[in-house]
Amino acid sequence: MSQQYVCVCVFLAVEFDDCAGNEDVSFEVSDPSFHVDGDLNLVPRRDVKSCGPVLLVHGFGSHVDDRAQVDVSGLPVRSENTLTEVPGQKLRYRSKRALLVPPMIVTENQRAPFPRLIGKFQVILTEKPVHHIFRLTGPGADQYPEDLFTIDRDTGDVSVSRSLDRETIDSYQLEVSTTDSSGNVVEGPVILVVTVIDQNDNRPIFKESRYTGEVLEGSPTGTTVMTMTAFDADDPATDNAVLRYNIVRQSPDKPSPNMFYIDAEKGDIVTVISPSLLDRETLPTTTYELEIVAKDMAGSEVGLTGTATATITITDKNDHAPEFTHPLFEARVHEGSRGVVVNLTVDDRDDPATGAWRALYSIISGDPKQSFEVQTNPDNNEGMLSVVKPLDYETTAFHTLLIRVENEDPLVPDVGYGPSSTATVHVTVEDINEGPVFFPDPLLVTRMENVPVGSFVASLNASDPDILEVQSIRYAVLSDPAAWLSVNPVRGTVNTSASLDRESPYVQANKYTALFVATDNGTPPATGTGTLIIHLEDYNDNAPFVVPSVAQVCEDGGDMNVAVVAGRDKDLAPNAAPFKIELGKQPGLDKTWRVTRINSTHSQIMLLQSLKKANYQLPLLITDSGVPPLSNSTEVKVQVCICTKTKRYCSSAHSHRTSLVVLLSTLLLVRLSFSRTWAVNLLLRSESS
């Protein structure tokens, strides 16, 4: 039967002070076989046969939370492999070795001296004495961070070699094994977990140094404005990381130093002030600044603190209707003018640059012809009343407008627009001497071109809008690009002073435009401008002509001895095409040349007999279709060329004009040169052209 140990004495006296008389302080011991009595003595609860080599004593209360480690010696170490006597049974013989793994706990931030013993390994119940050599491996031993923990190879004592930081690594998992003197593994490896016990060495830190929030004016008491959140790097399972929030300062502190409350645990900031006092327009400021403190240790006096600032803005709601500063506004405006005539001023107590402050103006009566409009000045919220359609003194000399002002945003339900949200505007129209007005403008007339000089063209009509005054009007030419017109200064009749020409460059699309001015005898005199547009009808006054002026044919006839020409005419149909193009009246031309019609505008010139390479002036007669028709005798330079399949060789010499003697001589030379028998009917006369 195994040997039994009984401990009935006091282990040690516990020294503990929470700086508040140790009231309401409680203790916990890691081994339930022990406890701390009322005299602060660590004593066993009952007979203790075995225990671990280390005990952890935890003292905590409303003001403090701390732990201490107690190293135990003199008792067998408790193990699930320890054999004890069981009533009614014989104790069987233990034949296996066992490597006891005690719990090991290290408090962070320990001070020198180092190394410090934190636990001890033991090999129990061996069959025969064996010399065990202890070996420690893993992170913290032979792996990074190396050499934090060491083990005595002979005794199994585990020590920590330097201070630990729980916030960096909160536990270490190592392996312990034993070998004999030859290096053969005897026991293990077994897992050793070293737990780092937290100390309150980290202050709460807010996620932001400055928080901002908004609350609408008139919000009910208890409205959540924002949430403050801080973080504590200490162990969240201890009071070291349990935070409590508090408002330590409010600026300004009017109308109450406690306008807001913060939930101590959640960090929610809510309103405390009544809705009626939370009035943006009556508060001394629209921005309040709160200093918030977060304290760990659940807010106890020994807790560490962190601070942040919360800025709360009281936002506006549309609880004030805009009001005109005056019930009546007056303006004076010249007739015929446009633009702003008066600025309408309003007061609005709501937040500027918001929809609750920005004004919208509307004319609700007095403007049947929509001659006015009101625009909002974005800089000062004033209403700018403008004339958009010129006013006429002779029609209405006085206007009375009723104008309403509203906000962009709707008013809150319990607020409405009152009488001050409407105003009356009196607009007086002042008379000015207005210039005469032409009617119609423009004046359109149709006249034939080439009418005799002095012919009547049009009669101008201008009237004076100043019907309440008797004034005379005189007319004058303002713009007459071709100098074709004159006007009677009193009657306004327009006559021709030169021949009208439809083909003039001053005529565009058959229309000629002239400007006239009418001037009254008011003080000062006023003028008006009118436009006369003359649509000119065509007269057959332009003879047709042939294009192009140069044509080419091949000397040996065939398919390439034809040239195409066309007729042109500055006149319009029916004074232009169809054209008749024929040979001139010189005798004998029709023996060598032929002109045939292709269509209404084009004809072809055909060489009937071969001619030598030269240039010839061929007389043609072209006639248009006007009534009476006009004809034009013209000449076309015909180049007789030597032609191949790909190129023409034409003469650059002067042209030859046709005569009967020269033509016969030329044909004779052609026959002698080429030994051909051709009938010669073309008369040529060589001359320098």
Side-chain angles (χ1 to χ4, degrees):
M1 181 177 295
S2 63
Q3 185 179 6
Q4 297 184 6
Y5 295 86
V6 179
C7 181
V8 294
C9 59
V10 175
F11 256 32
L12 57 84
V14 177
E15 295 182 2
F16 192 88
D17 187 2
D18 69 347
C19 301
N22 289 345
E23 295 183 2
D24 300 324
V25 175
S26 300
F27 296 92
E28 292 180 349
V29 184
S30 60
D31 190 331
S33 298
F34 298 89
H35 74 105
V36 178
D37 63 14
D39 296 326
L40 299 185
N41 293 318
L42 177 63
V43 298
R45 295 181 182 273
R46 55 185 179 274
D47 292 345
V48 179
K49 300 178 181 179
S50 62
C51 68
V54 177
L55 295 177
L56 182 65
V57 180
H58 181 197
F60 57 92
S62 58
H63 301 288
V64 70
D65 187 313
D66 201 7
R67 292 171 174 80
Q69 177 179 306
V70 179
D71 297 329
V72 180
S73 62
L75 286 177
V77 177
R78 181 184 300 116
S79 171
E80 60 183 13
N81 295 316
T82 302
L83 299 181
T84 58
E85 184 179 6
V86 179
Q89 296 184 4
K90 277 191 174 183
L91 181 65
R92 61 186 178 86
Y93 179 72
R94 160 81 175 174
S95 61
K96 293 184 178 180
R97 304 177 187 88
L99 185 60
L100 179 62
V101 184
M104 295 189 185
I105 300 173
V106 182
T107 302
E108 68 171 333
N109 302 324
Q110 290 184 349
R111 297 182 179 179
F114 290 102
R116 286 175 175 264
L117 181 66
I118 63 173
K120 182 181 181 65
F121 278 88
Q122 292 182 347
V123 179
I124 60 174
L125 296 179
T126 59
E127 295 178 352
K128 56 182 178 179
V130 176
H131 179 65
H132 292 272
I133 300 174
F134 291 91
R135 184 168 176 266
L136 184 64
T137 60
D142 60 345
Q143 300 176 25
Y144 179 83
E146 294 90 353
D147 301 326
L148 273 180
F149 303 99
T150 60
I151 190 168
D152 188 295
R153 57 177 293 171
D154 297 320
T155 64
D157 291 343
V158 179
S159 301
V160 61
S161 60
R162 55 184 182 269
S163 179
L164 304 182
D165 182 10
R166 189 204 68 84
E167 287 70 42
T168 302
I169 302 176
D170 59 2
S171 67
Y172 299 83
Q173 181 171 301
L174 304 101
E175 291 186 350
V176 179
S177 60
T178 64
T179 63
D180 58 19
S181 58
S182 299
N184 300 315
V185 176
V186 178
E187 295 290 344
V190 295
I191 301 299
L192 168 64
V193 176
V194 179
T195 302
V196 183
I197 301 301
D198 186 43
Q199 283 190 335
N200 190 22
D201 58 344
N202 289 279
R203 293 180 178 275
I205 299 176
F206 282 92
K207 294 182 178 179
E208 303 174 23
S209 62
R210 181 173 294 273
Y211 289 71
T212 58
E214 295 180 348
V215 61
L216 186 65
E217 65 171 331
S219 296
T221 301
T223 299
T224 299
V225 180
M226 58 197 299
T227 299
M228 307 290 290
T229 304
F231 169 76
D232 196 310
D234 290 320
D235 189 353
T238 67
D239 284 350
N240 295 341
V242 177
L243 305 183
R244 295 293 182 265
Y245 299 93
N246 185 33
I247 300 175
V248 297
R249 182 181 61 86
Q250 172 190 303
S251 177
D253 59 358
K254 305 295 182 183
S256 167
N258 299 309
M259 296 174 59
F260 303 95
Y261 162 79
I262 188 169
D263 187 293
E265 296 184 4
K266 298 179 181 179
D268 294 339
I269 298 178
V270 299
T271 59
V272 178
I273 189 172
S274 66
S276 60
L277 294 179
L278 191 61
D279 184 1
R280 181 190 164 282
E281 288 73 35
T282 60
L283 290 172
T285 180
T286 60
T287 302
Y288 287 83
E289 190 172 276
L290 307 179
E291 184 178 341
I292 309 298
V293 171
K295 181 181 286 189
D296 60 18
M297 297 299 294
S300 68
E301 294 181 0
V302 296
L304 303 177
T305 61
T307 304
T309 301
T311 301
I312 300 175
T313 301
I314 313 301
T315 57
D316 189 36
K317 64 180 181 180
N318 197 9
D319 55 350
H320 294 88
E323 297 179 344
F324 283 101
T325 58
H326 306 286
L328 175 65
F329 294 85
E330 294 184 332
R332 305 182 72 85
V333 57
H334 291 298
E335 66 171 330
S337 64
R338 302 171 186 261
V340 178
V341 296
V342 66
N343 291 314
L344 310 175
T345 54
V346 295
D347 285 332
D348 195 318
R349 299 172 61 189
D350 290 314
D351 186 12
T354 67
W357 177 81
R358 287 190 291 268
L360 296 176
Y361 297 87
S362 58
I363 301 172
I364 57 179
S365 67
D367 186 24
K369 296 182 179 179
Q370 298 181 343
S371 301
F372 301 89
E373 72 174 12
V374 188
Q375 297 289 335
T376 303
N377 188 325
D379 297 328
N380 54 25
N381 216 31
E382 293 180 355
M384 300 180 294
L385 178 64
S386 302
V387 176
V388 294
K389 294 181 181 179
L391 305 177
D392 184 16
Y393 170 83
E394 287 73 24
T395 302
T396 304
F398 190 79
H399 297 264
T400 300
L401 307 177
L402 187 61
I403 298 178
R404 176 172 58 201
V405 62
E406 298 174 316
N407 287 133
E408 286 185 4
D409 294 345
L411 296 172
V412 295
D414 55 341
V415 176
Y417 294 101
S420 296
S421 296
T422 58
T424 301
V425 180
H426 288 165
V427 179
T428 300
V429 183
E430 297 180 341
D431 186 31
I432 63 172
N433 184 28
E434 300 174 88
V437 178
F438 283 84
F439 181 83
D441 188 25
L443 174 61
L444 303 177
V445 298
T446 300
R447 295 292 181 267
M448 178 69 72
E449 67 171 331
N450 296 332
V451 295
V453 175
S455 297
F456 172 78
V457 176
S459 181
L460 304 177
N461 180 27
S463 59
D464 196 323
D466 298 311
I467 58 176
L468 301 181
E469 300 180 15
V470 178
Q471 296 179 340
S472 61
I473 296 175
R474 295 183 65 84
Y475 299 90
V477 177
L478 180 63
S479 174
D480 180 14
W484 289 342
L485 305 173
S486 63
V487 62
N488 185 292
V490 177
R491 295 191 301 272
T493 55
V494 179
N495 296 82
T496 61
S497 58
S499 179
L500 306 180
D501 183 9
R502 190 196 64 83
E503 292 75 31
S504 168
Y506 297 108
V507 176
Q508 301 295 326
N510 303 321
K511 295 177 181 178
Y512 179 74
T513 302
L515 300 179
F516 296 86
V517 62
T519 306
D520 64 20
N521 61 346
T523 304
T527 61
T529 302
T531 301
L532 172 63
I533 299 177
I534 306 173
H535 183 276
L536 293 174
E537 295 181 335
D538 186 42
Y539 180 79
N540 193 18
D541 56 348
N542 290 279
F545 56 93
V546 176
V547 294
S549 60
V550 178
Q552 293 179 347
V553 297
C554 295
E555 64 171 348
D556 56 352
D559 295 336
M560 304 178 68
N561 65 345
V562 175
V564 177
V565 294
R568 295 288 186 270
D569 198 320
K570 293 182 180 180
D571 293 319
L572 301 176
N575 297 320
F579 299 108
K580 180 182 179 181
I581 303 176
E582 54 189 335
L583 291 172
K585 301 305 181 180
Q586 290 88 336
L589 290 179
D590 56 348
K591 303 300 182 180
T592 307
W593 305 96
R594 179 185 300 165
V595 177
T596 57
R597 180 177 179 180
I598 298 176
N599 53 35
S600 63
T601 57
H602 290 74
S603 296
Q604 65 181 9
I605 301 173
M606 180 179 296
L607 177 62
L608 300 179
Q609 299 187 33
S610 294
L611 293 178
K612 72 173 183 178
K613 174 184 170 184
N615 298 329
Y616 302 90
Q617 293 295 126
L618 180 64
L620 296 176
L621 178 66
I622 181 171
T623 306
D624 63 22
S625 297
V627 179
L630 290 180
S631 297
N632 182 23
S633 294
T634 184
E635 288 184 345
V636 174
K637 179 180 179 180
V638 180
Q639 293 181 311
V640 178
C641 307
I642 298 174
C643 302
T644 66
K645 291 183 179 180
T646 60
K647 194 171 183 181
R648 289 185 176 187
Y649 299 92
C650 301
S651 174
S652 60
H654 296 295
S655 300
H656 300 281
R657 297 186 182 276
T658 60
S659 72
L660 182 58
V661 176
V662 175
L663 178 61
L664 292 174
S665 300
T666 301
L667 289 176
L668 180 59
L669 291 173
V670 170
R671 285 179 175 180
L672 293 175
S673 300
F674 296 96
S675 301
R676 296 174 182 174
T677 305
W678 289 337
V680 178
N681 296 315
L682 183 64
L683 302 177
L684 298 175
R685 182 172 57 86
S686 298
E687 286 186 6
S688 295
S689 59

